[in-house]
Amino acid sequence: MVEMNLELARHNMIQQQIRPWEVLDERVLDLILQTPREDFVPAPFCNLAFVDMEVDLGHGQRMMAPKIEARMLQALNVQPGERVLEVGTGSGFVTALLAKMAGHVYSVEIVPELKEAAERRLRDHGIGNVTLEVGDAATGWPQHGLYNAIAVTGSLPELAEEFRKSLEVGGRLFAVVGEAPVMEALLITRTSANAWHTESLFETVLAPLLNAPRPKRFTF
């Protein structure tokens, strides 16, 4: 791909995939336009950087489709100075976008090799307001106190209560909950010390987080 083709592909991704999916927040659209997604896709799949699909990252992990990334960012509405938790660093692309919106991002990745690769990409792009950690955050990551926003980048068969409890009052959580073929993208907002509001955003299917707990089922 020559540079002009990259820019055309990026433009088409926004106009043909992201905007039709009700992403109209100009701040989110500008960030995606200005952040080279192709630099965060594994080299063998660079030609898929702007395609409406999940890109294989290896180790059984996938990069979210562009329209899901954008819809998540719009829903979370991260503000300057806020503390954000990202569960599933993956390629580091969403980490980069969150970092450009927030004060600081704590991102947890279960696969050490993916964490290291994302760290290099973020460093190459001069993004320093992030803390990347290796760990299993499928049931929460309360190590850094309460967060203003939590982005879960893989699906969860059920949502652990720890995620809700890790939000500041006014904090927002985005998670895709359920099992294929029925999953629901949820935005959960903590409205007081003991109350949360849940909004269903859309239905989708998203690759699950590794080790995500499954609901207990009755056996006969």
Side-chain angles (χ1 to χ4, degrees), residues 80-96:
E82 289 191 326
R83 291 160 48 87
V84 176
L85 170 66
E86 180 190 31
V87 178
T89 310
S91 70
F93 180 64
V94 169
T95 319

Side-chain angles (χ1 to χ4, degrees), residues 11 38 42 59-60 79 93 112 120 142 157 170 176 209:
H11 172 82
E38 66 275 14
H59 309 279
Q79 298 299 308
F93 180 64
R120 288 193 298 271
V176 174
L209 289 179

Side-chain angles (χ1 to χ4, degrees), residues 26-107:
E26 291 297 335
R27 183 173 63 129
V28 171
L29 296 173
D30 286 346
L31 276 176
I32 293 171
L33 189 64
Q34 296 163 12
T35 307
R37 197 172 196 270
E38 66 275 14
D39 290 354
F40 290 85
V41 174
F45 304 116
C46 187
N47 62 323
L48 302 177
F50 308 107
V51 177
D52 183 16
M53 63 176 288
E54 295 181 0
V55 176
D56 187 2
L57 297 175
H59 309 279
Q61 301 300 289
R62 295 180 183 173
M63 189 176 182
M64 288 193 295
K67 64 188 181 187
I68 305 293
E69 295 169 338
R71 194 76 183 270
M72 179 180 71
L73 293 173
Q74 177 173 267
L76 286 173
N77 191 29
V78 174
Q79 298 299 308
E82 289 191 326
R83 291 160 48 87
V84 176
L85 170 66
E86 180 190 31
V87 178
T89 310
S91 70
F93 180 64
V94 169
T95 319
L97 296 172
L98 288 169
K100 291 180 179 184
M101 302 172 81
H104 196 89
V105 177
Y106 298 93
S107 187

Side-chain angles (χ1 to χ4, degrees), residues 74-149:
Q74 177 173 267
L76 286 173
N77 191 29
V78 174
Q79 298 299 308
E82 289 191 326
R83 291 160 48 87
V84 176
L85 170 66
E86 180 190 31
V87 178
T89 310
S91 70
F93 180 64
V94 169
T95 319
L97 296 172
L98 288 169
K100 291 180 179 184
M101 302 172 81
H104 196 89
V105 177
Y106 298 93
S107 187
V108 187
E109 173 55 56
I110 196 169
V111 180
E113 292 86 352
L114 291 183
K115 180 259 188 184
E116 291 165 9
E119 210 160 37
R120 288 193 298 271
R121 294 175 183 130
L122 292 166
R123 185 170 58 246
D124 289 345
H125 284 273
I127 296 171
N129 60 326
V130 295
T131 300
L132 301 189
E133 298 173 287
V134 173
D136 183 353
T139 58
W141 196 259
Q143 283 84 329
H144 303 291
L146 300 181
Y147 306 97
N148 302 109

